[in-house]
Amino acid sequence: QKLKKKIEEAILQLNNEKEKVNTTDTEAKFIRNKQQINLNYNCQAGITEDRVIVSAFTTNNASDKRQLLPNIQQAEANTSTTFENILADSGYASYDNYEALEAMKKTAFVPDQEKETETEKQRRNPFHRNNFTYDEANDQFICPQDKALPLAGNYQNHNYKQKAKIYIGKECGGCLFLPQCSKGKARQIHVEKREQLRHQARIRLDTDEGKQL
């Protein structure tokens, strides 16, 4: 009867969560770690410059992105201190976090996951987005062939928590480089409306102070 009840509870949990269930430790979740997916917890810690742990907690949420603000809040509550400079690895980078830190008047030293690879992609691909010039006066991009991509509209992706502008080329039809530039009928560029916050963080990380921190 005990085994039957345990199986019934596991089946109910499977139906509710649509994922594998560990009947021994129901709170553990399958989390990727070093290319493997195992039952894990996500352990978090906030550490001061002189290596004192000021916050620590465990969660079964695999994403570090959602743990940055709770880490800061717990650290400040534990120490009755306001921390101005926030250092974290790229796993904590998100537009939501950059925006929240800006609102909290904190300085983010948090690299995004594309910071190191984007420069190389830009060098290898002449039609990489970074090789398009932004025309601020007309709110449009100019492609390497000197053709305009005017603003076409806005969209919001709730799953990825993105708020973006869309720019679409109007003269792509007769362009000889279209197959290299786009997989569609016209080149599109999506720009997150908070991208400037990420750009500021990149610049900050490349300063002497940023490198030292």
Side-chain angles (χ1 to χ4, degrees):
Q1 290 300 317
K2 289 180 180 179
L3 180 59
K4 181 175 181 291
K5 183 179 179 181
K6 192 172 185 179
I7 292 171
E8 287 173 345
E9 289 174 350
I11 291 172
L12 179 62
Q13 189 175 350
L14 273 172
N15 291 334
N16 290 336
E17 299 187 9
K18 306 297 183 185
E19 63 178 33
K20 295 178 182 178
V21 172
N22 175 17
T23 56
T24 305
D25 183 353
T26 57
E27 292 185 353
K29 298 296 180 183
F30 285 88
I31 297 176
R32 180 177 294 278
N33 181 26
K34 295 182 179 179
Q35 307 306 315
Q36 293 182 337
I37 299 177
N38 295 312
L39 282 162
N40 284 310
Y41 288 95
N42 185 353
C43 299
Q44 295 288 322
I47 303 168
T48 62
E49 190 174 4
D50 47 356
R51 297 190 292 182
V52 175
I53 297 173
V54 289
S55 66
F57 60 92
T58 302
T59 175
N60 59 14
N61 190 307
S63 173
D64 284 336
K65 292 180 174 66
R66 300 180 185 178
Q67 313 314 321
L68 181 62
L69 298 184
N71 232 320
I72 295 169
Q73 290 160 359
Q74 188 185 112
E76 292 187 339
N78 286 342
T79 60
S80 299
T81 303
T82 298
F83 297 104
E84 296 180 357
N85 292 334
I86 305 301
L87 285 73
D89 65 47
S90 61
Y92 295 87
S94 73
Y95 287 115
D96 280 356
N97 283 341
Y98 288 134
E99 186 176 39
L101 293 176
E102 176 84 359
M104 295 163 70
K105 301 188 184 307
K106 298 184 183 299
T107 305
F109 291 90
V110 184
D112 61 275
Q113 293 179 333
E114 296 182 350
K115 182 180 184 296
E116 300 302 329
T117 61
E118 204 167 87
T119 302
E120 178 60 20
K121 290 179 181 178
Q122 178 183 351
R123 187 188 66 79
R124 288 190 284 108
N125 180 8
F127 298 102
H128 187 276
R129 200 197 81 170
N130 287 2
N131 291 321
F132 286 61
T133 305
Y134 179 60
D135 174 8
E136 186 174 0
N138 297 301
D139 194 12
Q140 63 181 6
F141 280 88
I142 305 299
C143 81
Q145 296 301 306
D146 205 30
K147 305 295 183 183
L149 287 79
L151 178 65
N154 301 279
Y155 87 102
Q156 187 166 352
N157 188 317
H158 295 285
N159 291 333
Y160 293 97
K161 296 186 177 181
Q162 291 183 343
K163 310 167 187 175
K165 290 182 173 182
I166 305 173
Y167 299 82
I168 301 177
K170 299 299 183 184
E171 304 174 72
C172 298
C175 181
L176 297 175
F177 296 97
L178 180 60
Q180 301 171 45
C181 184
S182 174
K183 295 179 181 179
K185 295 180 179 179
R187 176 61 184 266
Q188 296 187 16
I189 291 180
H190 293 205
V191 179
E192 230 288 349
K193 292 181 179 179
R194 300 166 292 178
E195 193 165 295
Q196 183 61 24
L197 296 176
R198 186 179 75 167
H199 182 64
Q200 290 171 355
R202 287 182 175 185
I203 293 175
R204 193 179 297 125
L205 285 158
D206 287 335
T207 64
D208 290 340
E209 180 192 11
K211 291 175 181 178
Q212 184 178 0
L213 286 171

